[in-house]
Structures are given as C-alpha cells and as structure tokens.
Amino acid sequence: MDQKGYRRGSFQSSTSDEDMLEIAGASLDFSMADDDPPLDREMGGFSSYNGGGMNGTSTMMDFLEEPLPGVGTYEDFNTIDWVREKSRDRDRHREITSRSKESTWALIHSVSDAFSGWLLMLLIGLLAGSLAGLIDISAHWMTDLKEGVCLAGFWFNHEHCCWKSNTTFTDRDKCPEWKSWSQLILGHGEGAFAYILNYFMYVIWALLFSLLAVLLVKGFAPYACGSGIPEIKTILSGFIIRGYLGKWTLIIKTITLVLAVSSGLSLGKEGPLVHVACCCGNILCHLFTKYRKNEAKRREVLSAAAAAGVSVAFGAPIGGVLFSLEEVSYYFPLKTLWRSFFAALVAAFTLRSINPFGNSRLVLFYVEFHMPWHLLELVPFILLGIFGGLWGAFFIRSNIAWCRRRKTTKLGKYPVLEVFVVTAITAILAFPNEYTRMSTSELISELFNDCGILDSSKLCEYVNDFNSTKGDDLPDRAAGPGVYTAMWQLALALIMKVFITIFTFGMKVPSGLFIPSMAVGAIAGRLLGVAMEQLAYYHHDWAIFSGWCSQGADCITPGLYAMVGAAACLGGVTRMTVSLVVIMFELTGGLEYIVPLMAAAMTSKWVADAIGREGIYDAHIRLNGYPFLEAKEEFSHKTLAMDVMRPRRNDPPLTVITQDSMTVEDVETIINETTYSGYPVVVSRESQRLVGFVLRRDLIISVENARKKQDGIVSTSIIYFTDHSPPLPPSSPSMLKLRSILDLSPFTVTDQTPMEIVVDIFRKLGLRQCLVTHNGKLLGIITKKDVLKHIAQLANQDPDSILFN
Amino acid sequence: LSPGCEFLFPQASMMFTQCTWKCATSVLLIVLLCCILSPPAQASKSSEDIRCKCICPPYRNISGHIYNKNVSQKDCNCLHVVEPMPVPGNDVEAYCLLCECKYEERSTTTIKVIIIIYLSVVGALLLYMAFLVLVDPLIRKPDAYTQPLHNEEENEDARSLAPAPTPSGARANTVLERVEGAQQRWKRQVQEQRKTVFDRHKMLS
C-alpha cells in the first residue's frame, strides 16, 4: 500500500471547506510524538481498558480481540474525544473494582489505583515547589550579577553578601564584600568613569543573558517561549500539542526563564511558572498508568498542576486554585478542587522549606501593615480601578497589534535580533533611573512598603519632626526632597514600563505578564497615594478630610494605594475576578483590604470590558487561531443546525461507510481521497440509517495491521462492522471485522435544532463532531471547527483564522 | 518475573517490561528533587546562617543604627542585641520600643548548591549546543544529515531518512543505538517545533 498517499504536503489548511484534519507529515510516523512510543516498541499494546467497543460489556474481556496499539490515541494538533476518554476511565475503574474481589493482589491494586491520584499530587507539589525555589534563588543571584559580584562567595546575591556585615542605617546596601563592577575593575566606585563602566557592564550582562535565553529556546525547545497560559488553556479544553509539556520544554523553560528575568526585561515569571508546573504534572503522569493512558484524567491533573504553579508564584494556595478554576481550566470537576488545593499546599510548603527569600516568606512583596482606611478613600480607589481598566484595554489592543505584526510581516523572521534590540533598549533606558534598574519584584516590594521611622529609602524621606514622635505612631508628615525626586523618577518609570511591556510580552523568550502589570499599577497607585497624603497634610481643614483625618494623624497609607493599583491593573489585563482578590488578600494576610481591592477590581473589569471583550489570554488564543470554544460567552443568534452542518447545498454528499458492503480497497480509496477525521457508518447507502461513527486514525491503523498480520485479507475483502459476518459465497476472501473500533453511540441532533443548543452541547460534553439527522436519516455532520467558524462569522471576525482542527 | 506471574498479572509484567527511557528519566528527576530538597533538610544551624537584626531609628541626637548578632530566637530582642547601648539606663526602654528586632535564617548550603546546579546545567546545555552545531555535522557527514539548528523549509527527504542501520545487522537494541535513535527522533521533533513556532508562526506568536 502506498504510504505516500497519506502524506499531506502542506501544513496549511486546504481550501476545501470540508477539511477536518491536518496530518502533520508522514502518517504512520508515530515516532514524532513525544508521549507516544513508536508502534514497533509497544510489546503487548494497550491493556483491555479500551477494548472491544466503547460500550460493549461482553467484548471487554474478549482477549482474542485485543485492541491494537495506537487505536484510541490522538494525532498531534487534534481535539480529544472527552466522552470516549471518560467512558474508558469508567470502564477501567469498573474492571478494577470487579477484579478486586478475586485476589489480594488485585485488592491492593485497586487501593493503590485510588490512592495514585493523591500520590501524584504530592509529587507534583514537591517538584513544582523545588523548581520554583531553584528559579527564585537563581533569578535573584543573576539579577544582582549585572551590578556586581560578591567576594565572599560568588554565589551570593547582594542581600546575602551583606548579611553578616554591619551596614549603616542610611546606606543599607553598602558592605565591603560586595563589589560593583567598576569597583572591581577600577578599584573605586565613584566618578563619571565608574558610572559609565557600571552602565556598560549592566547592558552587556543584560544582552548576554537574553541572547543566551533566546538561543537556548530556539535550539532546544521552541515551545518554551511566551507565557504558556493561552496554550495551556487550549490544551486543557481538549487540544493536543505534543511536546508542549515535555521534558525538554520543562528544562529549557526553567533555565531560560531565569535568564530572561535576570536580563532586566519587563516581564515576570508567574505565567511561565504555570507552564513549568503543568510540564511537571504531565511528566509525572507518565509514572501512573491511570493518567498516562487517559487524556481526560490527565487534564484533571494538569488543572491541579496549574494551581500549584500559581501558588508558588504568589505564595497563595487558595488563589492558585481559584486561578486554575477561573482562568485556565475548562472542565473542573469538584474532585479536582480538593486535589488541586492539596497540590498547591504541598508546593507552597516545599517552597517555604527551601526558603528562597529568607524569613520563610514565599513572595518578595509580602505586605505586613494593617492600617485602617476610610470610606471616602473609595473614590481614589475607584479612580485607580478606572486607570487599571483603561491601561488593560490599551495594553491588550497594542500588544495584539504588535504580535500580529510579528506574525505576518518580516519582523517575525528575526527573533534573535528582535530580542537583542528590545533588551538593548530596555537596558539602556533602565539603568539611569534607579527604579527601573532594580528588578521589578523589588520595585513592587518597595512600593507596597508603608513608610515608618525605620525606613530610610528615598521614597520614605519625609520631614521627620522628632519632638512630636510618640512611640511608633507617626504623624502625617510633609514630603521631603527625596520624595519629590522619587515621584518624578517613578513617573518616568511608569511611562517606560507602559510602553516597553507591549513589545516584550510575546517575544521568543519565556515572558509573563503579572509582574509588569502589577508594577504599572503599583507605581500609579503610589503616586496617587502620596499625592493624597500630601493633600491631606497641607489641607487637613478641607471638608473631605476634616471629618476623619484630624491634624497630626496619619490617615493615608500610600502603600495601600499601590496595592490597590496593582490589583486594578492586573484585573484590567487578565480580567480575573475572584482569583485576583484572593491572591491579593493572601499577599497581605488580612481581610481589612478586601473592600478596596474588590472595588478596584470590579471597576477595572467593567471599564476594560466596555472597551474590549477579551482578556489578554483569550485575545492571544484568538490571534493564534487555536480551536478553543469559549465557555463563558453566550451564543445568542437564531441559526439552526442545518445552517452550519456539512455538506452544504452545493457540496457533494456526505462520505459514509456502509456497515457490511464495502471492501478494503473502497475504504482505502475513501481514506486517500478525503481528509476527514472520521466517517459515519450507515446500514446502506439507500437507507442512510445511522449505525455509528469510526475515526480515521483507528481505521488506518486497523486496516494496515490487518493487511500485514491477518491471513487472507486482500483488497477485495469485505469490511463489516456488524456483530456477525454477512453471508457471502464461500469462495470470497476472508472478511475483516472492525466492530471494535466503531463508536456505537455518536451524538446526533436533528436539523432543526437551534444552534445555541448545539453550541451548548459541544461545550458541555466536549464533543468533536456531532451528526445531524432528518426524519431519522443521516443528513450531515457538524464539527467543532464548523462551530468555531460559525461563531467567528457571526461575530464578524475572519472565519479563516481558525487554523487547527 | 516468573512465567506464573506473567500469566496472572499481565498488566504488571507489561508495565515492568516497559520500564525504559521514561522510568529512567523519572528516576533521574526524583534524584534531582532529593538533591535539591536535602540541603535544606540537613541544613545545620551553623552559626553562619542565623542572625538577629535590630533596626533602631534616629532618636534625639543619636543617628539610626543597624545591629546584627547571631543569637538564637529566644534571645532576639533589643536588650541582647543592641550593644553598646547608646542611651543611658533610664532611656533604654523608650529606645528599645522604637527598635524593631527580627530573627532571620538562611541556608548558605542551599544557595550554593542551587547556583552550582543551575550553572552546570546551563554549561551542559551550551556544550551540547556547541556539539550539535559544530561537531555533529562532521560526524554525520556520510549520512548527509542537514544542520540541525537552522531554519529550513519542509524537507521530505530528511523526514524519510531513518537512523543509520547498525553494521552488525541486528536490531537496534544496544544502548548506543537506542540513544542514537532517540536523539534522531528528538532532533526531528525540535525541527518540527521550530518550523511551527518560528517559520510558519502557527503557534506562540
């Protein structure tokens, strides 16, 4: 048989309307897949989990009809069949339960099977926490490497280098063991030449790190670039991207994430940490048969792993679970909730025991103050919410426009050069301003900090009147010159961050969005907070202040404004709701600030939704054309199933396979001539009564295997899907029974079914295709791609932008 | 496993015989995990790694000062750490109320181990990349395998090229041949990924 007939030369979707599948490259070259071992390696193939038909009970134990290896697996860039996977898992569970009564070993097997989920969560938490600790410690060290080196041990970063020595109150950074590059090379750290040398070394290190990152990504794991969350959302909705969650992607993503963050680019590590955690989840799934062989169960594990990823990024286990529930997962059964929480807790605990920041804190910018706020302050908080919403909408529009340009024009042909140029611009602009020179997490930490008498940073340089200091209660104070300098530096930093993040997010290095958005919001919030504070100090006799802010009392906390601003901007970009508020209040450790946070988050979401409907991740999903059926939006048009189904009026009739009258040659011709991912099986061409649905991949594997291994199968052998072979004269060649690969319960709707119900069915059940009948006879087929194209068409978007199946 | 076991527990025997590359990598990962986790577990509380840090703000005409001392957690308060005490006896209480003392711990071993692991992994990857770019094409010249790190158009011939047949003619079962086969597969996979992401911009744009 000619294998070349199966190959598709181009990866682009063909112009044929009825295209359902791209086969990437050679058809039976399963060795391309990371997860699937090649056919010749599998010893006995699958166990009988998926044996003998989807719902056949008697054929389950039929070892004579053992299913072939490869049947029931999926091609790359295909959608899984949720219904089949779930029913397979139920079959497997039933079998184990029924076998457990037979012997002690089987009982142990069933207990360990039930326990395996929890063990897997434990392992995922441990691995995700350890990797997060590695990333944190290495990123800290490498960020400081741009500025100098520690003589007491090159592996110490600035803070740890100065740990043992006594620093002064005003200059907490200086200690003899830490030498900046100019001090190392020139011997002294003062003067214009030393400054220029420091500048030069900073830029050189930044360029070196980012170039290394992009070369590693390009050379070893191209899937490791970007944030990862849009692709993980698509994978969790049922799409298969082989290699996206593999070992090499994990290693390269971990390594290059540290490099990218250390190079001073305006990106964060939270999104990539979710990807890293999901890779851990996927890799550890291979240890357990229950999860290795079932794609639906694996996605439950991936949801839990995503929760663990966010949990270590923010030190917020509950926020992590809610983020996984709200943003990332598609189907989130309640059982997964408890397990996700367990995984998130284990990960957070592991990270804490590695102790990357000292003081057993999990996140660099943990907030410890509990100052009260007043109801009138809700007005500036809502203002911050509006700012967050506006910035979010602006960022999404411009970032998508830039990414589209990168995708379609020549800009996309030079990824390494692009990274080089962006890093150079970022480093050159960032060094002069001390607030952009420090790492973004440190900046946020400083902005969240409430100024007390113990602080001596520039931002806290208020005019202190020591005579009126009563213990720890600070009065409100006028801003000193340091604060004014800090304000305009922060304003410049804000402008720079707003614009440079647009070009940074989406580059070919791992890049996250959370930290830059929080930084933008924190800067804006702090500016507003200091302005309010000074307003209250100089005009405490105004009506709005006199009620609650008596003279001499410190009533406004700029740190709180920074926090609320950060939440507003993050909410504006990602459109997170509950998870955002929970993450922020887990960061602060108290419930006092829930109302301001919620006010800002809600305002920012409303403002941003009024301008543009999608969050950043959904916008990227749409830009890339992933086949993601949005679960949150309502379908509100009045079309019917027959408007969407294929074949349309002028198309050739539906390609079907009859249940017992086609030969092997006929089936092979159909497979060669069409590219559909499955074929309905009918009783006969005249009656068009539906028997079931058979998938293309299963058909190819079975026919090829039959030709090679079974005796007497030739091109004129009849293929039958019925239980008993059709009566034929004895001289005809032996027949091929393929009932085991037939799905006897395909979903059908009538042609008059409204599309809103059809879309609902696709969403809720996770279907790939749905057959359309009319008066009981098979009329056509609706696939997920047709549904997506239809939705896109009705929303006036380009329906051809849906690329994959 | 004995033949009886194979008959009774076909799944178990299949799983055991399939313990190949995947098992090896997972064992390696777990070992790495233990390596990362054991330093903090064994972190001896050496005197190097604990300290009590007291920050005292400016008070009257005394400037602010930071005091470090490695004492245990129960001794971490102003009276034990701040010495010499800059204020006379009756002011000590007022002064100490302003000071804030925090007990901090760290593990230098963990930091050292992690940084060294990270640098060695980066170094290993760089060496491997150099090997693939420079040395590998020279070794594989007879097989006409195209350079692995450059963008290229879809090349059906490269795809259909199987790994080089073993000279003895036996099945590719020795460790070296399996590694070769795995490496070839991995290279093809990376090439496919590179085409998808960098050339055709189908994903991750």
Side-chain angles (χ1 to χ4, degrees):
Chain A
M1 183 166 57
D2 192 9
Q3 287 214 11
K4 275 204 175 13
Y6 293 166
R7 285 195 200 172
R8 300 290 301 166
S10 97
F11 201 49
Q12 306 291 332
S13 63
S14 69
T15 51
S16 155
D17 277 345
E18 301 181 89
D19 204 25
M20 282 207 264
L21 170 70
E22 322 295 344
I23 297 189
S27 64
L28 290 184
D29 188 17
F30 298 126
S31 53
M32 292 290 285
D34 192 17
D35 308 332
D36 267 346
L39 279 182
D40 54 321
R41 285 263 198 95
E42 289 253 351
M43 299 296 185
F46 280 20
S47 55
S48 62
Y49 296 147
N50 60 334
M54 303 305 130
N55 44 10
T57 45
S58 56
T59 50
M60 208 162 46
M61 301 302 217
D62 191 349
F63 284 113
L64 297 173
E65 270 198 51
E66 225 173 60
L68 307 166
V71 167
T73 57
Y74 301 94
E75 289 271 348
D76 202 2
F77 298 117
N78 257 13
T79 317
I80 68 171
D81 190 345
W82 283 95
V83 179
R84 181 164 82 155
E85 299 296 312
K86 283 188 200 160
S87 71
R88 251 201 251 169
D89 182 59
R90 277 194 286 268
D91 287 342
R92 191 192 71 94
H93 188 72
R94 253 199 299 269
E95 186 191 337
I96 289 185
T97 325
S98 70
R99 278 239 199 111
S100 71
K101 306 182 185 70
E102 288 172 15
S103 68
T104 326
W105 171 256
L107 184 66
I108 295 176
H109 183 46
S110 86
V111 168
S112 79
D113 187 75
F115 186 60
S116 64
W118 292 96
L119 181 62
L120 181 60
M121 293 296 143
L122 179 72
L123 290 175
I124 289 177
L126 288 175
L127 189 57
S130 323
L131 285 177
L134 182 134
I135 290 175
D136 278 339
I137 293 182
S138 315
H140 251 233
W141 174 69
M142 290 189 87
T143 313
D144 285 339
L145 197 61
K146 297 201 298 285
E147 301 191 7
V149 79
C150 185
L151 294 180
F154 72 93
W155 53 86
F156 286 125
N157 63 0
H158 197 149
E159 183 194 341
H160 281 284
C161 199
C162 295
W163 217 71
K164 295 268 31 140
S165 55
N166 282 325
T167 53
T168 61
F169 186 78
T170 40
D171 263 332
R172 296 188 198 192
D173 290 339
K174 298 219 185 330
C175 67
E177 290 96 353
W178 177 263
K179 294 263 180 269
S180 71
W181 291 111
S182 63
Q183 277 174 328
L184 209 58
I185 298 176
L186 292 180
H188 62 90
E190 309 301 321
F193 192 56
Y195 182 82
I196 292 179
L197 190 63
N198 274 333
Y199 202 151
F200 179 72
M201 290 301 292
Y202 183 91
V203 174
I204 291 290
W205 277 112
L207 287 174
L208 180 70
F209 289 156
S210 63
L211 272 180
L212 201 59
V214 73
L215 285 176
L216 283 175
V217 163
K218 189 165 177 193
F220 289 118
Y223 279 163
C225 59
S227 159
I229 293 188
E231 286 75 25
I232 288 181
K233 275 183 84 149
T234 319
I235 289 179
L236 284 179
S237 81
F239 199 53
I240 297 229
I241 305 178
R242 295 226 184 274
Y244 197 74
L245 301 174
K247 319 180 258 296
W248 275 98
T249 315
L250 173 65
I251 296 174
I252 297 295
K253 190 119 188 175
T254 312
I255 305 285
T256 50
L257 177 60
V258 174
L259 287 169
V261 167
S262 315
S263 72
L265 285 168
S266 174
L267 43 84
K269 54 178 165 51
E270 282 67 27
L273 265 178
V274 173
H275 188 182
V276 164
C278 285
C279 285
C280 299
N282 193 41
I283 291 172
L284 287 169
C285 273
H286 285 287
L287 297 176
F288 299 88
T289 326
K290 175 175 171 185
Y291 296 101
R292 182 173 68 233
K293 303 229 163 133
N294 193 306
E295 298 283 344
K297 298 290 287 178
R298 199 193 290 207
R299 276 151 178 78
E300 286 174 20
V301 172
L302 291 181
S303 296
V310 176
S311 148
V312 291
F314 285 110
I318 308 176
V321 173
L322 284 173
F323 178 81
S324 172
L325 173 64
E326 184 184 354
E327 279 294 313
V328 172
S329 303
Y330 202 74
Y331 297 110
F332 201 85
L334 279 182
K335 178 171 67 167
T336 316
L337 195 66
W338 188 212
R339 292 189 183 189
S340 309
F341 191 56
F342 179 66
L345 271 183
V346 171
F349 182 72
T350 314
L351 184 61
R352 178 184 244 253
S353 67
I354 294 182
N355 200 9
F357 298 111
N359 312 335
S360 297
R361 285 194 331 254
L362 292 181
V363 202
L364 188 54
F365 40 87
Y366 188 77
V367 159
E368 282 162 330
F369 55 83
H370 296 284
M371 314 280 289
W373 58 278
H374 191 264
L375 215 55
L376 276 176
E377 288 183 286
L378 275 180
V379 174
F381 292 148
I382 291 181
L383 277 177
L384 282 175
I386 295 176
F387 170 78
L390 289 174
W391 178 77
F394 164 72
F395 177 80
I396 294 177
R397 283 256 175 100
S398 26
N399 185 250
I400 293 292
W402 182 251
C403 287
R404 187 169 292 128
R405 184 170 291 198
R406 191 190 291 134
K407 196 168 142 127
T408 47
T409 64
K410 275 175 45 165
L411 175 64
K413 301 226 188 303
Y414 306 106
V416 181
L417 188 62
E418 181 190 0
V419 171
F420 184 86
V421 168
V422 173
T423 313
I425 294 178
T426 313
I428 290 175
L429 288 179
F431 189 83
N433 184 347
E434 88 174 76
Y435 288 109
T436 42
R437 191 192 312 160
M438 61 170 83
S439 79
T440 324
S441 315
E442 264 182 61
L443 172 66
I444 296 180
S445 161
E446 194 164 319
L447 291 171
F448 280 5
N449 181 38
D450 187 30
C451 287
I453 40 173
L454 299 173
D455 297 295
S456 67
S457 61
K458 199 158 64 177
L459 199 54
C460 289
E461 212 178 286
Y462 289 91
V463 175
N464 280 321
D465 183 12
F466 287 113
N467 289 337
S468 65
T469 308
K470 302 184 257 307
D472 224 359
D473 272 333
L474 279 179
D476 57 344
R477 304 169 286 177
V483 177
Y484 287 114
T485 326
M487 288 297 110
W488 66 258
Q489 279 184 333
L490 280 175
L492 285 176
L494 176 69
I495 296 174
M496 184 195 147
K497 281 215 182 289
V498 161
F499 287 107
I500 204 90
T501 315
I502 296 173
F503 302 106
T504 314
F505 187 65
M507 277 201 313
K508 298 289 180 264
V509 287
S511 55
L513 234 220
F514 282 38
I515 294 271
S517 337
M518 288 177 77
V520 168
I523 297 178
R526 187 84 188 203
L527 289 173
L528 184 62
V530 170
M532 289 279 299
E533 186 188 35
Q534 294 306 300
L535 207 61
Y537 177 77
Y538 285 115
H539 300 281
H540 51 81
D541 47 347
W542 282 6
I544 42 174
F545 292 122
S546 60
W548 53 290
C549 207
S550 54
Q551 179 166 18
D554 186 21
C555 25
I556 302 213
T557 324
L560 173 63
Y561 283 69
M563 224 164 55
V564 169
C569 278
L570 191 54
V573 164
T574 56
R575 313 291 162 85
M576 282 160 45
T577 52
V578 182
S579 34
L580 174 66
V581 175
V582 173
I583 287 177
M584 292 307 289
F585 102 73
E586 273 186 293
L587 276 179
T588 63
L591 286 171
E592 296 99 354
Y593 300 135
I594 272 210
V595 176
L597 288 172
M598 276 203 67
M602 283 199 318
T603 320
S604 109
K605 181 159 167 49
W606 286 335
V607 169
D609 274 345
I611 303 180
R613 285 239 33 118
E614 299 171 317
I616 184 81
Y617 300 126
D618 296 320
H620 271 272
I621 285 180
R622 198 159 54 78
L623 174 71
N624 285 312
Y626 298 141
F628 181 74
L629 188 55
E630 180 60 63
K632 295 179 195 163
E633 291 195 7
E634 298 273 326
F635 183 84
S636 56
H637 304 272
K638 290 174 74 70
T639 43
L640 299 177
M642 62 182 192
D643 302 324
V644 180
M645 77 175 184
R646 307 266 173 204
R648 296 277 163 85
R649 259 175 228 290
N650 306 325
D651 295 335
L654 192 61
T655 310
V656 295
I657 298 182
T658 55
Q659 73 173 352
D660 56 9
S661 58
M662 290 183 75
T663 62
V664 171
E665 193 177 348
D666 296 332
V667 170
E668 282 171 356
T669 323
I670 286 186
I671 291 177
N672 284 345
E673 286 178 356
T674 57
T675 56
Y676 308 135
S677 66
Y679 303 95
V681 174
V682 293
V683 172
S684 66
R685 277 189 203 280
E686 298 79 33
S687 70
Q688 291 279 343
R689 285 189 323 194
L690 185 63
V691 176
F693 196 82
V694 67
L695 293 176
R696 180 198 187 88
R697 185 175 158 113
D698 294 346
L699 204 56
I700 294 176
I701 296 173
S702 309
V703 167
E704 285 224 345
N705 185 72
R707 270 192 184 267
K708 275 190 221 150
K709 305 231 174 101
Q710 249 177 284
D711 295 328
I713 300 293
V714 289
S715 294
T716 50
S717 306
I718 297 277
I719 292 181
Y720 66 98
F721 293 97
T722 48
D723 238 344
H724 305 286
S725 53
L728 279 182
S731 60
S732 49
S734 52
M735 298 190 281
L736 176 56
K737 180 175 186 183
L738 288 184
R739 189 173 173 84
S740 57
I741 60 170
L742 181 67
D743 177 10
L744 290 164
S745 57
F747 281 90
T748 59
V749 289
T750 63
D751 56 335
Q752 298 293 321
T753 316
M755 267 313 281
E756 26 184 42
I757 297 186
V758 177
V759 170
D760 229 7
I761 294 178
F762 268 86
R763 261 185 212 153
K764 294 206 165 110
L765 294 175
L767 299 183
R768 282 206 291 192
Q769 72 276 323
C770 182
L771 297 167
V772 182
T773 59
H774 173 76
N775 292 347
K777 288 190 176 182
L778 181 64
L779 190 60
I781 188 170
I782 299 181
T783 63
K784 190 169 176 182
K785 198 173 184 184
D786 296 328
V787 172
L788 288 168
K789 279 188 177 172
H790 182 68
I791 294 179
Q793 221 163 23
L794 289 180
N796 289 330
Q797 292 155 4
D798 180 17
D800 286 329
S801 67
I802 313 282
L803 296 175
F804 299 94
N805 178 18
Chain B
L1 291 172
S2 65
C5 285
E6 283 207 17
F7 172 70
L8 284 175
F9 314 120
Q11 271 106 312
S13 64
M14 262 190 274
M15 283 195 288
F16 275 48
T17 46
Q18 277 174 15
C19 187
T20 55
W21 193 230
K22 283 181 197 147
C23 277
T25 15
S26 25
V27 168
L28 201 66
L29 270 175
I30 294 183
V31 166
L32 190 69
L33 232 161
C34 293
C35 276
I36 293 180
L37 284 185
S38 61
Q42 299 164 4
S44 52
K45 302 272 196 297
S46 72
S47 60
E48 289 262 310
D49 287 346
I50 58 172
R51 73 173 179 184
C52 186
K53 180 173 173 180
C54 284
I55 308 181
C56 292
Y59 181 68
R60 302 220 181 122
N61 47 1
I62 308 171
S63 61
H65 214 274
I66 298 184
Y67 299 92
N68 278 336
K69 197 167 168 198
N70 46 6
V71 291
S72 62
Q73 194 160 13
K74 63 177 175 55
D75 283 336
C76 185
N77 50 36
C78 173
L79 298 168
H80 283 98
V81 173
V82 177
E83 35 182 72
M85 187 61 76
V87 291
N90 47 356
D91 263 346
V92 165
E93 207 179 309
Y95 186 62
C96 274
L97 269 177
L98 293 175
C99 289
E100 184 186 300
C101 289
K102 251 194 308 194
Y103 175 73
E104 289 176 355
E105 265 192 276
R106 68 171 182 176
S107 170
T108 43
T109 337
T110 315
I111 296 175
K112 189 159 47 161
V113 165
I114 287 184
I115 299 288
I116 292 187
I117 289 178
Y118 181 78
L119 287 177
S120 30
V121 173
V122 173
L125 283 174
L126 282 178
L127 279 176
Y128 190 42
M129 176 150 50
F131 167 77
L132 282 178
V133 171
L134 302 170
V135 180
D136 213 41
L138 298 172
I139 298 182
R140 292 194 194 292
K141 224 178 182 118
D143 290 344
Y145 187 72
T146 48
Q147 286 149 344
L149 286 187
H150 297 216
N151 288 350
E152 47 180 283
E153 294 310 299
E154 185 154 345
N155 195 342
E156 301 277 313
D157 300 327
R159 189 84 46 65
S160 58
L161 204 61
T166 63
S168 63
R171 269 214 67 191
N173 259 333
T174 65
V175 176
L176 205 61
E177 259 83 36
R178 265 198 294 208
V179 167
E180 285 266 322
Q183 199 195 24
Q184 295 290 10
R185 267 203 316 274
W186 170 73
K187 273 195 213 157
R188 278 203 300 268
Q189 205 180 357
V190 174
Q191 252 172 312
E192 262 306 311
Q193 287 180 8
R194 207 177 292 136
K195 268 183 225 133
T196 316
V197 176
F198 286 93
D199 297 338
R200 296 191 211 107
H201 290 280
K202 273 207 119 187
M203 273 184 64
L204 289 163
S205 53

